[in-house]
Amino acid sequence: MDRRFPPHPVRGVRVRHSPQTGGTCVFADVTVDFEPASPGFAFTVAEDVRYPGYNNPEALSGYRAALAEGLSDALADRVTGAVVAVTVVLRILVAHKVDSSERSFRTAGHLAVHVAFDRIESQ
């Protein structure tokens, strides 16, 4: 039997990474959808993506790339006994001009995969 991840759409996965460490560069807030697709991992930005409150195109490009990297790494670590067959669609990305970094968005990608798994396992 060919098992795939995700077995069905998992939409509206929101992750807000903002640990209370008192440091900077730790804020990321994203909403993504996990859509079943052909085997492999794909990351895409929705046509109607929103970037509330922050619009630095260069920084946002880096944050999107870091998010995709975090998602891909977490899927490679977490998916066992199944085929990764997913397109992750970015719907909302919230960044802070001081407290966001590419590292925080990589972490958000990892966390989003864990949230998607939790939703699937709880059904």
Side-chain angles (χ1 to χ4, degrees), residues 5 10 12-17 29-34 43 67 70-72 74-75 78 88-90 104-120:
F5 176 85
V10 182
V13 174
R14 181 177 181 206
V15 172
R16 182 179 173 98
H17 175 61
D29 187 340
V30 298
T31 302
V32 295
D33 297 338
F34 289 77
F43 177 78
L67 175 64
L71 289 159
S72 178
L75 286 166
R78 185 84 194 256
V88 180
V89 182
L90 175 63
S104 62
F105 282 93
R106 267 191 297 282
T107 300
H110 280 265
L111 295 171
V113 169
H114 292 286
V115 170
F117 265 89
D118 289 347
R119 284 199 193 169
I120 290 167

Side-chain angles (χ1 to χ4, degrees), residues 66-83:
L67 175 64
E69 182 182 326
L71 289 159
S72 178
D73 289 349
L75 286 166
D77 290 344
R78 185 84 194 256
V79 176
T80 58
V83 173

Side-chain angles (χ1 to χ4, degrees), residues 44-57:
T44 189
V45 177
E47 287 184 26
D48 60 345
V49 67
R50 293 184 298 150
Y51 303 105
Y54 186 65
N55 193 13
N56 176 327

Side-chain angles (χ1 to χ4, degrees), residues 8 20 61 71 83:
H8 52 77
Q20 299 300 311
S61 176
L71 289 159
V83 173

